[in-house]
Amino acid sequence: MTEQRWADVRRRVEALRAFPAADEVFGASGHRWVLEQPLGQAELAELEAQVGVRLPEEFRTFLLRVGAGGAGPAYGVFPVRRVRGRWGWEGDGADMADLSRLAEPFPERGPDPDAVDPLLAERPEEEDFDEVEEFENAFEAWDERWEDVMFAPGRTAGAIVICHLGCAQREWLVVSGSHRGTIWSDHRVDDADLAPRPGPDGRPLAFGDWYLDWLRDAERTARGEERTAPGGSRVPE
């Protein structure tokens, strides 16, 4: 069934560049409807051997049947390429993923950062301080500690950055652990933790649904029926 899902996808994506409103699809100016060539079985096997993990099935089949990255949600799926004999993903923030830790289970969304460090439990508010300088010092200390905790490498072990939404917001694909195969939104730049990208039913989106939902929305937008938001969700006209 996984193979069948991708049977006609490459043709559908490449056909979109000819639609009159194709440029209205968010991120199209970045990927320009171009898909990388698919990987061969030997290339995929080498990639997985180097990173030490079998990639989620829908993503594996996408790489083999559709392309090794390119046109997709937001500014496109980060391409996986071999450079000087080593495989890795390329894109704005792709290097945030530690490829040496992909076999480690992606952590459950815990421990809560407030539980890890009581200093994070309450963000300083200006009205709580008599002097502006005191507030600024307290906020700076809180912000630095927040970044130390939230951007600790272990919080994203077992996942790769899959695309860039703009404004330092990204999405991750979990490749190991109980959330394997799902997409997580990363809004830490806005002081929010990573969270699963929900589908219409509220459950976390798997890679295949994430990509194909985007494609259906992009086709409607390119026909002039509606616009798409940065994450691929529909915006009524």
Side-chain angles (χ1 to χ4, degrees):
M1 186 63 180
T2 299
E3 292 265 347
Q4 296 174 1
R5 296 195 82 184
W6 303 114
D8 200 34
V9 168
R10 187 178 179 92
R11 181 199 63 78
R12 288 169 60 189
V13 171
E14 291 177 335
L16 280 170
R17 71 184 68 175
F19 280 69
D23 288 344
E24 296 299 316
V25 177
F26 178 84
S29 60
H31 57 68
R32 306 305 303 169
W33 306 109
V34 175
L35 284 164
E36 301 276 316
Q37 286 301 307
L39 296 183
Q41 289 283 358
E43 291 175 312
L44 179 59
E46 184 180 44
L47 162 63
E48 292 179 327
Q50 286 187 6
V51 299
V53 67
R54 182 181 175 89
L55 298 172
E57 294 307 313
E58 289 187 329
F59 186 50
R60 297 181 86 252
T61 311
F62 175 87
L63 295 175
L64 292 168
R65 298 293 302 274
V66 181
Y75 289 100
V77 177
F78 284 174
V80 57
R81 295 175 177 145
R82 180 171 51 196
V83 179
R84 294 187 292 276
R86 299 299 301 178
W87 287 94
W89 282 266
E90 298 181 355
D92 186 345
D95 57 355
M96 294 171 67
D98 186 345
L99 301 190
S100 70
R101 303 184 66 171
L102 293 190
E104 296 181 28
F106 182 75
E108 301 296 327
R109 280 304 91 183
D112 185 277
D114 293 353
V116 173
D117 191 331
L119 291 175
L120 300 180
E122 293 187 12
R123 180 171 173 167
E125 298 294 339
E126 189 168 3
E127 57 267 23
D128 295 334
F129 295 84
D130 295 328
E131 302 290 337
V132 172
E133 185 176 356
E134 291 179 1
F135 164 72
E136 290 177 346
N137 291 339
F139 185 86
E140 182 178 351
W142 178 91
D143 191 52
E144 289 179 359
R145 186 59 189 160
W146 192 92
E147 289 197 13
D148 288 343
V149 172
M150 297 299 288
F151 286 90
R155 294 190 72 80
T156 51
I160 60 171
V161 187
I162 198 68
C163 80
H164 183 227
L165 304 178
C167 299
Q169 299 180 355
R170 299 172 177 86
E171 296 200 315
W172 295 67
L173 171 64
V174 179
V175 301
S176 297
S178 62
H179 299 290
R180 184 174 184 269
T182 58
I183 299 292
W184 286 61
S185 297
D186 183 355
H187 299 298
R188 288 176 291 178
V189 68
D190 295 323
D191 298 340
D193 200 356
L194 284 87
R197 176 79 181 272
D201 59 0
R203 293 187 297 178
L205 273 177
F207 175 83
D209 291 333
W210 173 76
Y211 192 90
L212 294 174
D213 285 354
W214 164 80
L215 179 54
R216 285 188 288 268
D217 291 346
E219 288 172 329
R220 285 189 281 261
T221 300
R223 295 185 188 111
E225 298 171 14
E226 59 193 12
R227 295 178 291 111
T228 53
S233 57
R234 296 187 293 276
V235 179
E237 294 290 351

